[in-house]
Amino acid sequence: MTMTMVAEKTNTATYQKGEFSDASDRDTESIRAPPQHTLKRQLKNRHIAMISIGGVIGTGLFVGTANALAHGGPLGLLLGYIVMGSIVYCVMITLGEMVAFLPIPGGHIKLAERFVDPAFSFTMGWNYWYNWVIVSPAELSAAALLLNYWGDKVNDSVWVVMCLVIVVTINMLGAGAYGEAEFVFASIKVLTITGLIILGIVIDLGGGPNHDRIGFRYWKNPGPFVQYKGIEGVKGRFLGWWAVMSSAAFSFIGTEIVAIAAGEAKNPRRNLPKAIRRVYVRILLFYIGGTFVIGLLVPSNNTSLQLNTGAAESPFVIAIQTAGIKSLPSLINACLLTSAWSASSSDLYTSSRAIYGLAASGNAPKCFLKTTRNGLPWVAVVFCASFSLLAFMAVSSGAGQVFDWLSNMTAVAGLMTWFGISVTYLRFYEGLKVQGIDRKTLPYWTRLQPYAAWYGACATIIVCFFSGFSVFLKGEWDTATFVTSYILLMAWPVMYVGARLYYRVKPVAAEDMDFKSDLAEIEADTYDEPPPRNRWEAFWQWLV
């Protein structure tokens, strides 16, 4: 199977805007989708913006922060999310520069083939596919358990089937329908977290029915940090903060969905840079603002802070109940339910496009390239949807425990994806430098490179390496935790070395990197947005 990545060597010293459009020379040996049916650009700017936000606001923030608060305390929780947020920021601007320039189907998976080597694309692609296909059943089981909030007389499997039908139907209707559904779901999540942050501040200042002004009471007692597993001194506080990192990683996983959606985005040269510039700011505000409020409202020694998929364990719900507000828990639970639906729908969309990108790179069977006339990769969607049946395992075996294991594996897989994106960019950066291409002519660029990419690559590996540190503490060994924390970290080099031996292809040299293919079509899809006709349209364009 030919995986040639060599493009015509560029001898010019600099590139000017528009010069990339002379891209008639194609890599005819690249494996691509059949020309008659390919992915279609159906996602509008508002879809891209809300998909990027909605992909990360979910059970990780609403529920997973409970466990993080119990481990790290209010300050440890806040610092953990700030540090992880800095990693997310660097990964997003790193990804944004590449995907705004080359918004192609397969996203960063296909870019890894161009700028690193086919083996790296193989490893990164299957890791990414596994990441999303394995978390989808966890989200479905979470939705089923959330439905039990209003009564548990119906068997959970009925709710799993109902939720699965909704998720599959949305994805089978195509990218346009998925974009509209995600726009609605993500809007609900954004309004929910915004309302909860505002409500949390009101409760903290004594505006609740009990008129208890909390202030920073819980930062003083039981304290800003938690002594992890009772370990005294700085060591215990440090381990408590570090325990937050994995939870924070699981919460942030999904920011890179914009790269996978790039191949189906309308006017990508305009919409993607705009989304990249704004989305990570909103995400950091929601997460850092949310975790700060959680640390104010709930003491870290609250016995209800246990990792579970039920809404009753959400720190926000705990705070609302403590404040004496009786009408909101059901509403919050309903919002969490739409969050789980949205997350599962995004999981299926992303995993199906990931395996489509793998097939486009020759790393998966060509059957996954089959699309309908409206651009739906139906074989990929059906195949990935079949893995959602694992949700029945979670229901029958104890969804809380299974969700815990799956979230551990998802966090590590997501961090390794960020590592792969950072490494791909470093090669991309080197290729631009060697071929004399001015980065300032790209649709999106920042002055922080390549330092941001180096920070992203090193930080993700460090977090992965120490993600399961708790099992090495005296008397704390747990085989299941060790396996779910380290299996993907160990599998990554094995997959890469194996793929290198199979393909027998050397890494792409900087002078041979392909910066021309696909640019003609991309620039043909670029156009100026019509100017706003009134203040409302001007505000809407600014907002999204």
Side-chain angles (χ1 to χ4, degrees):
M1 187 176 296
T2 305
M3 297 300 300
T4 305
M5 288 302 301
V6 180
E8 180 181 352
K9 184 175 179 179
T10 304
N11 294 319
T12 53
T14 59
Y15 280 65
Q16 302 298 325
K17 289 184 178 179
E19 189 171 340
F20 291 110
S21 61
D22 184 15
S24 59
D25 52 330
R26 296 280 165 191
D27 181 5
T28 57
E29 296 181 84
S30 294
I31 298 175
R32 296 179 297 177
Q36 66 272 23
H37 298 314
T38 59
L39 299 182
K40 306 294 183 182
R41 296 194 181 275
Q42 304 177 48
L43 298 177
K44 302 176 183 178
N45 179 44
R46 60 186 177 88
H47 296 156
I48 294 295
M50 297 309 289
I51 286 171
S52 300
I53 298 175
V56 291
I57 298 178
T59 52
L61 176 61
F62 292 127
V63 180
T65 45
N67 205 41
L69 177 60
H71 285 320
L75 184 55
L77 172 68
L78 181 62
L79 290 177
Y81 272 78
I82 288 176
V83 172
M84 189 56 63
S86 69
I87 298 174
V88 172
Y89 174 84
C90 291
V91 171
M92 284 299 288
I93 63 175
T94 296
L95 176 63
E97 189 167 315
M98 294 188 293
V99 79
F101 174 55
L102 287 171
I104 57 178
H108 47 276
I109 300 171
K110 191 67 176 176
L111 293 174
E113 181 190 1
R114 280 198 183 192
F115 304 118
V116 186
D117 62 44
F120 198 79
S121 176
F122 171 90
T123 307
M124 194 173 170
W126 282 109
N127 173 82
Y128 194 64
W129 172 82
Y130 174 83
N131 178 14
W132 291 106
V133 83
I134 204 67
V135 76
S136 181
E139 297 288 359
L140 286 172
S141 63
L145 291 173
L146 288 170
L147 284 165
N148 284 333
Y149 182 85
W150 294 284
D152 57 359
K153 295 182 180 180
V154 179
N155 190 285
D156 286 339
S157 61
V158 175
W159 301 131
V160 170
V161 171
M162 184 189 74
C163 297
L164 181 59
V165 169
I166 294 173
V167 168
V168 173
T169 300
I170 290 173
N171 277 268
M172 289 300 290
L173 291 175
Y178 163 75
E180 291 294 345
E182 191 61 21
F183 180 80
V184 174
F185 285 145
S187 297
I188 293 173
K189 288 191 283 188
V190 169
L191 292 175
T192 300
I193 185 59
T194 302
L196 287 174
I197 291 174
I198 295 173
L199 177 62
I201 294 174
V202 171
I203 293 174
D204 184 71
L205 296 177
N210 59 2
H211 302 294
D212 180 18
R213 191 179 187 281
I214 301 173
F216 283 85
R217 179 190 307 167
Y218 301 133
W219 285 53
K220 298 177 181 178
N221 183 24
F225 289 98
V226 171
Q227 301 297 141
Y228 188 79
K229 301 290 184 180
I231 300 173
E232 298 294 333
V234 176
K235 180 181 178 181
R237 293 191 292 272
F238 174 80
L239 292 178
W241 165 74
W242 191 262
V244 175
M245 297 294 282
S246 293
S247 298
F250 176 73
S251 298
F252 278 116
I253 295 302
T255 52
E256 72 289 336
I257 287 179
V258 67
I260 292 295
E264 296 175 272
K266 291 184 177 181
N267 200 10
R269 282 288 177 87
R270 175 204 175 268
N271 291 336
L272 290 174
K274 187 176 181 180
I276 293 291
R277 289 189 187 100
R278 295 185 177 184
V279 167
Y280 59 73
V281 175
R282 298 168 183 170
I283 291 171
L284 297 183
L285 287 175
F286 291 142
Y287 271 88
I288 293 176
T291 52
F292 176 71
V293 169
I294 287 171
L296 292 176
L297 298 178
V298 183
S300 58
N301 59 358
N302 189 299
T303 56
S304 297
L305 294 177
Q306 300 293 331
L307 182 60
N308 207 310
T309 51
E313 303 300 329
S314 168
F316 289 110
V317 174
I318 294 173
I320 291 171
Q321 292 174 336
T322 303
I325 304 175
K326 299 181 180 180
S327 58
L328 278 182
S330 290
L331 177 61
I332 299 303
N333 192 73
C335 293
L336 291 178
L337 178 60
T338 63
S339 173
W341 271 339
S342 170
S344 184
S345 181
S346 292
D347 297 341
L348 180 54
Y349 172 84
T350 308
S351 60
S352 63
R353 270 49 176 190
I355 202 167
Y356 180 94
L358 282 165
S361 298
N363 293 324
K366 292 182 181 180
C367 64
F368 293 118
L369 292 173
K370 292 182 179 180
T371 60
T372 61
R373 292 184 181 275
N374 65 347
L376 172 71
W378 65 273
V379 177
V381 172
V382 171
F383 176 73
C384 294
S386 65
F387 285 85
S388 297
L389 298 176
L390 291 172
F392 293 106
M393 176 194 70
V395 170
S396 62
S397 302
Q401 186 179 36
V402 174
F403 186 85
D404 189 11
W405 293 339
L406 295 178
S407 64
N408 282 344
M409 291 190 289
T410 298
V412 175
L415 288 168
M416 293 307 296
T417 293
W418 294 351
F419 168 77
I421 290 171
S422 301
V423 171
T424 301
Y425 177 83
L426 292 172
R427 298 299 302 145
F428 173 83
Y429 181 90
E430 183 66 18
L432 292 176
K433 183 178 179 181
V434 170
Q435 295 190 24
I437 302 174
D438 186 0
R439 289 177 55 244
K440 295 181 181 179
T441 63
L442 302 182
Y444 174 80
W445 68 283
T446 69
R447 299 181 184 276
L448 296 178
Q449 298 294 2
Y451 311 108
W454 277 111
Y455 173 66
C458 296
T460 50
I461 286 295
I462 291 173
V463 174
C464 284
F465 189 78
F466 292 103
S467 61
F469 74 91
S470 61
V471 300
F472 299 107
L473 299 176
K474 186 177 181 180
E476 297 294 331
W477 176 261
D478 182 72
T479 303
T481 301
F482 174 80
V483 171
T484 54
S485 297
Y486 290 110
I487 186 172
L488 290 178
L489 182 61
M490 294 184 291
W492 181 281
V494 173
M495 292 172 64
Y496 178 68
V497 172
R500 281 290 301 272
L501 294 175
Y502 176 79
Y503 288 118
R504 298 181 182 178
V505 177
K506 295 181 179 180
V508 183
E511 61 270 18
D512 295 328
M513 290 180 183
D514 180 8
F515 290 99
K516 290 186 176 182
S517 294
D518 300 305
L519 285 177
E521 290 84 350
I522 292 169
E523 293 194 353
D525 289 330
T526 302
Y527 53 87
D528 293 330
E529 297 285 344
R533 294 171 295 181
N534 50 54
R535 292 183 177 180
W536 165 249
E537 288 189 356
F539 171 76
W540 182 252
Q541 287 189 9
W542 171 83
L543 183 63
V544 300

